[in-house]
């Protein structure tokens, strides 16, 4: 399917959601990147406390995706999106009193984070719920492009107003979210079967009476077909967030603020343009090929950053952008294809995986960068990340394969329990390897 043909075939609700995928991050990132300024400089909060507040809010936003998926399964995709946007609108409105009251600002930040946790799994699930498998790559990649465009433009649009006209900025963002919420309320409700997970048992069917041990049920859940895309998403975000968190500290002293801004602009442009263009090809490639290409690009990009010159920083950043374009999309598509759960639950789990990866990166990165800086060879930090991009993917895959094999061997010794869970004892290499 060509890009033009695919875009021409979008439904009205899909077009609206793609527009919302731009407007929502545009409004959010007009405010959120300046939270440290608001909390520290305007409200006098200590930097250590600011870091804890922002890290906790990020963790809520990512890990809460699991709750968002469960809520969407219970009350429906459209209702969940509207509820989430009502919460986010209330959060941005609460920033108005938060300009002078610390507690109100912190509460507003957590309302916005909770709303995002609820919204994103339902949004992606609604976007693809009426689409066939061939349309999903284009829809998800175009949504990602719109989101990244909003993220890139939001801070630029807000920068002239955030310090001198903060109240007006927060009021404008609140009005934008109120309008987007009203638009979501007018979307048609998805059909009950459209976003459902596995089919229910036929009437009169009797489930086996075998009791399955808790550890066995947990193993089936953690080591099932979705284990690999979940684990790869954790790993992808883990290595990628080193780049997100520490490139500015590394690049600006070696180049300039203007050059760093140019690199970010080119990165955003490539990401926005390339994602829809390569989505169909990424979807057709085997998962193993995408993993090898994606992590190779990530490793090469990190190694280029270690050289530290103007060209090396530009080339390294663009290689990492290519890795982001392929890996993140393929992980979502693979998680959808392997799961029998509803899309909202799948996307919620993927958000959790991303949150775990980002948290691990934040935990390890600060100390690692500080050690490299003290040594006088900061490029070693990027070299170490490049080595992890090479070594960790095969290690993760091999570990999952061994754990899956051991779990299946235990299952084979208890065939009655296997029947009760509806799983076989064989080792499916498609689940655990590439």
């Amino acid at each position: 399917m060509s890009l033009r043909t695919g875009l021409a075939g979008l439904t009205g609700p899909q077009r609206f959601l793609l527009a919302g995928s731009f407007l929502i991050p545009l409004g959010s990132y007009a405010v959120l990147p300046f939270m440290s300024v608001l909390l520290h400089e305007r409200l006098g909060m200590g930097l250590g406390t600011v870091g804890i507040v922002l890290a906790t809010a990020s963790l809520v936003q990512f890990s809460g995706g699991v709750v968002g998926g469960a809520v969407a399964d219970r009350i429906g995709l459209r209702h969940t999106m509207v509820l989430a946007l009502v919460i986010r609108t209330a959060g941005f409105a609460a920033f108005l009193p938060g300009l002078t009251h610390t507690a109100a600002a912190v509460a507003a930040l957590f309302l916005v984070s909770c709303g995002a946790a609820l919204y994103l799994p339902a949004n992606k699930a609604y976007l693809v719920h009426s689409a066939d498998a061939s349309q999903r790559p284009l829809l998800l990649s175009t949504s990602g492009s719109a989101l990244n465009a909003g993220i890139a433009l939001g801070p630029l649009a807000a920068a002239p107003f955030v310090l001198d006209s903060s109240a007006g900025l927060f009021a404008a963002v609140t009005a934008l979210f109120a309008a987007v919420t009203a638009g979501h309320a007018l979307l048609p409700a998805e059909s009950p079967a459209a976003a459902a997970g596995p089919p229910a048992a036929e009437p009169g069917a009797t489930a086996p009476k075998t009791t399955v041990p808790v550890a066995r049920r947990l193993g089936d859940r953690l080591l099932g077909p979705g284990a690999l895309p979940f684990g790869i998403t954790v790993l992808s975000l883990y290595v990628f967030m080193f780049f997100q968190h520490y490139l500015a500290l590394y690049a600006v002293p070696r180049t300039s603020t203007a050059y760093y801004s140019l690199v970010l602009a080119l990165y955003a442009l490539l990401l926005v343009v390339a994602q829809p263009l390569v989505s169909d090809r990424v979807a057709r490639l085997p998962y193993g090929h995408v993993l090898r290409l994606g992590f190779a690009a990530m490793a090469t990009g990190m190694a280029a950053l270690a050289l530290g010159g103007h060209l090396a920083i530009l080339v390294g950043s663009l290689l990492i952008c290519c890795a982001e374009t392929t890996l993140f999309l393929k992980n979502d598509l693979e998680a959808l294809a392997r799961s029998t759960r509803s899309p909202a639950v799948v996307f919620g789990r993927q958000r959790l995986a991303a949150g775990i990866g980002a948290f691990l990166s934040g935990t390890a990165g600060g100390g690692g960068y500080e050690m490299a800086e003290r040594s006088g060879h900061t490029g070693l930090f990027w070299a170490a990340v490049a080595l992890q991009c090479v070594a960790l993917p095969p290690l993760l895959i091999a570990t999952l394969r061994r754990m899956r094999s051991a779990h299946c061997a235990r299952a084979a010794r208890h065939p009655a329990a296997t029947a009760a869970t509806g799983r076989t004892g064989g080792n499916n290499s498609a689940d655990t390897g590439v």
Side-chain angles (χ1 to χ4, degrees), residues 88 95 126 154 159 191 250 304 325 334 340 375-377 409:
R88 293 193 86 179
F95 277 121
Y126 190 100
S191 61
Y250 181 76
T325 301
E334 198 71 17
T340 58
S375 73
H377 302 283

Side-chain angles (χ1 to χ4, degrees), residues 10 20 124 138 166 201 259 276 319 410 419:
L10 295 179
K124 283 189 173 183
L138 177 62
S166 301
Y259 187 81
L319 283 169
R410 288 193 297 270

Side-chain angles (χ1 to χ4, degrees), residues 25-429:
L26 177 71
S28 297
Y29 281 82
V31 171
L32 297 180
F34 304 102
M35 279 301 97
S36 58
V37 177
L38 171 66
L39 294 174
H40 177 60
E41 295 188 5
R42 183 184 288 266
L43 298 174
M45 184 180 289
L47 282 176
T49 306
V50 169
I52 292 172
V53 168
L54 295 180
T56 306
S58 297
L59 186 61
V60 168
Q61 181 170 325
F62 278 106
S63 62
V66 174
V67 177
V71 171
D73 261 5
R74 176 64 63 90
I75 69 175
L77 302 177
R78 185 189 63 173
H79 289 157
T80 302
M81 288 191 292
V82 172
L83 173 62
L85 288 170
V86 168
I87 294 172
R88 293 193 86 179
T89 303
F92 285 113
F95 277 121
L96 289 168
L99 291 172
T100 54
H101 296 86
T102 303
V106 172
L109 179 61
F110 278 94
L111 281 173
V112 170
S113 298
C114 290
L118 285 175
Y119 179 80
L120 288 168
N123 168 263
K124 283 189 173 183
Y126 190 100
L127 189 63
V128 303
H129 82 273
S130 61
D132 58 42
S134 65
Q135 294 175 306
R136 285 177 169 180
L138 177 62
L139 288 168
L140 292 176
S141 62
T142 305
S143 176
S145 290
L147 184 143
N148 282 295
I151 290 173
L153 293 177
L156 294 176
F161 311 103
V162 69
L163 294 178
D164 298 329
S165 304
S166 301
L169 175 63
F170 288 127
V173 171
T174 301
L176 172 64
F177 269 84
V180 172
T181 302
H184 278 70
L186 297 176
L187 288 172
E190 72 279 4
S191 61
E202 296 183 5
T206 303
K209 299 298 184 182
T210 307
T211 300
V212 182
V214 172
R216 170 69 188 284
R217 292 200 302 270
L218 182 61
D220 284 338
R221 180 170 297 179
L222 295 179
L223 299 173
L228 184 60
F230 184 93
I232 292 294
T233 299
V234 172
L235 180 56
S236 301
L237 266 292
Y238 167 72
V239 293
F240 174 74
M241 292 306 290
F242 290 121
F243 169 77
Q244 284 284 79
H245 287 151
Y246 301 106
L247 181 64
L249 287 174
Y250 181 76
V252 171
R254 288 164 176 78
T255 57
S256 67
T257 302
Y259 187 81
Y260 174 67
S261 299
L262 174 64
V263 169
L264 290 187
L266 291 174
Y267 187 103
L269 179 63
L270 177 61
L271 193 61
V272 168
V273 173
Q275 278 187 315
L277 291 177
V278 303
S279 61
D280 195 48
R281 180 169 296 181
V282 169
R284 290 198 306 268
L285 282 174
Y287 194 28
H289 290 184
V290 175
L291 295 186
R292 283 188 283 272
L293 290 171
F295 281 109
M298 189 84 75
T300 307
M302 297 292 181
L305 292 180
L307 300 177
H310 284 70
L311 182 61
I313 289 172
L314 174 62
V315 171
S317 298
L318 296 184
L319 283 169
I320 292 167
C321 180
C322 293
E324 180 184 355
T325 301
T326 54
L327 275 177
F328 294 1
L329 173 63
K330 189 64 173 181
N331 285 338
D332 278 353
L333 292 173
E334 198 71 17
L336 278 175
R338 293 174 181 233
S339 179
T340 58
R341 300 297 303 275
S342 71
V345 170
V346 173
F347 287 127
R349 289 178 177 175
Q350 288 298 99
R351 289 286 296 174
L352 173 61
I356 293 172
F359 180 79
L360 292 175
S361 181
T363 302
Y369 192 88
E370 185 178 29
M371 287 176 60
E373 201 170 45
R374 286 178 177 175
S375 73
H377 302 283
T378 318
L380 293 175
F381 174 82
W382 303 107
V385 178
L387 287 175
Q388 291 181 79
C389 293
V390 173
L392 292 183
L395 180 62
L396 172 65
I397 292 167
T399 300
L400 287 174
R401 183 182 290 120
R402 286 196 298 271
M403 293 173 65
R404 174 72 170 170
S405 297
H407 178 70
C408 289
R410 288 193 297 270
R413 294 195 292 269
H414 303 282
T418 300
T421 60
R423 297 182 183 270
T424 64
N427 181 19
N428 186 348
S429 62

